[in-house]
Amino acid sequence: TIPLHVDEKNYTFLNPSTMTAICPKLSRKKKENLKQTIGAFDNNFVALIEKVFTHYNAHPSQYRASPFDVAFDSMYCKMAHGRVDCMPPDFTRQDLSEFGEYMAQIHCGMVNRDRESLRLSWGNTVHAMLQLMTGEKHADGTFVVSSCHDNSLLAVLCSIYGDDMLKCKPCW
């Protein structure tokens, strides 16, 4: 087991989302990558976003954080807690599953569209993890992540799978 700690208040390199605050080049690359990733989506993605924001009489520009994350997290939490009464009436588990696939593509695309993006967002952490792993001797050769942020896990998987990451069809 390799301990990972995410400390967003101190902008640690262990969370790729916080690295944009201290790396302007990464911030620009992630915005470009996000635009390209979303630009490749079909109309179903837009329909899901609109379904959620229309139901709550909200607009994506109201959120400082990613409106896609806000919409997905909101639907995921409501469904997980059985609060279907306050969800859009026609929002289904299939919608949530498809939304999760889009979200994985968004986050993988932002950090893994090219090797430079991955290096800037996750390179320090991979280096630190490799240093920890060389000190660990696991008899069966397994690599175990016991706890981490979802973006951190996706970045680890992007580091392992590289350009083939989206072929693995990750989803939340």
Side-chain angles (χ1 to χ4, degrees):
T1 303
I2 297 172
L4 290 180
H5 173 70
V6 176
D7 181 4
E8 293 187 33
K9 291 181 180 146
N10 292 321
Y11 298 103
T12 178
F13 59 81
L14 290 176
N15 183 341
S17 296
T18 62
M19 288 304 295
T20 56
I22 59 174
C23 181
K25 185 175 185 177
L26 176 61
S27 181
R28 286 188 304 275
K29 289 210 51 87
K30 284 179 75 173
K31 286 177 186 172
E32 292 168 10
N33 293 348
L34 176 62
K35 187 176 180 179
Q36 289 179 14
T37 300
I38 291 174
F41 287 165
D42 56 21
N43 292 335
N44 189 45
F45 175 72
V46 174
L48 287 170
I49 295 292
E50 287 179 357
K51 186 185 297 188
V52 172
F53 282 109
T54 300
H55 178 76
Y56 294 107
N57 196 26
H59 190 272
S61 64
Q62 292 175 257
Y63 300 94
R64 188 179 75 80
S66 162
F68 315 117
D69 287 316
V70 170
F72 176 74
D73 289 349
S74 176
M75 294 298 94
Y76 187 87
C77 290
K78 286 174 176 59
M79 196 167 280
H81 292 284
R83 295 298 316 268
V84 294
D85 58 312
C86 57
M87 292 176 61
D90 57 343
F91 196 90
T92 66
R93 288 200 177 277
Q94 180 62 33
D95 289 335
L96 186 66
S97 178
E98 290 174 19
F99 206 161
E101 289 177 23
Y102 287 121
M103 292 308 300
Q105 290 178 51
I106 285 171
H107 285 280
C108 289
M110 284 192 298
V111 299
N112 196 37
R113 184 156 287 280
D114 55 68
R115 298 309 286 176
E116 182 180 30
S117 298
L118 186 58
R119 181 184 58 79
L120 290 170
S121 62
W122 200 240
N124 287 331
T125 303
V126 171
H127 177 73
M129 288 172 59
L130 288 172
Q131 296 295 28
L132 288 169
M133 290 169 67
T134 56
E136 296 279 331
K137 301 295 182 206
H138 297 284
D140 62 356
T142 59
F143 172 67
V144 177
V145 177
S146 59
S147 177
C148 71
H149 195 275
D150 50 3
N151 290 350
S152 300
L153 180 57
L154 281 175
V156 168
L157 294 173
C158 287
S159 297
I160 293 169
Y161 291 103
D163 296 338
D164 292 331
M165 179 60 194
L166 292 178
K167 292 177 188 171
C168 299
K169 299 204 181 268
C171 65
W172 257 251

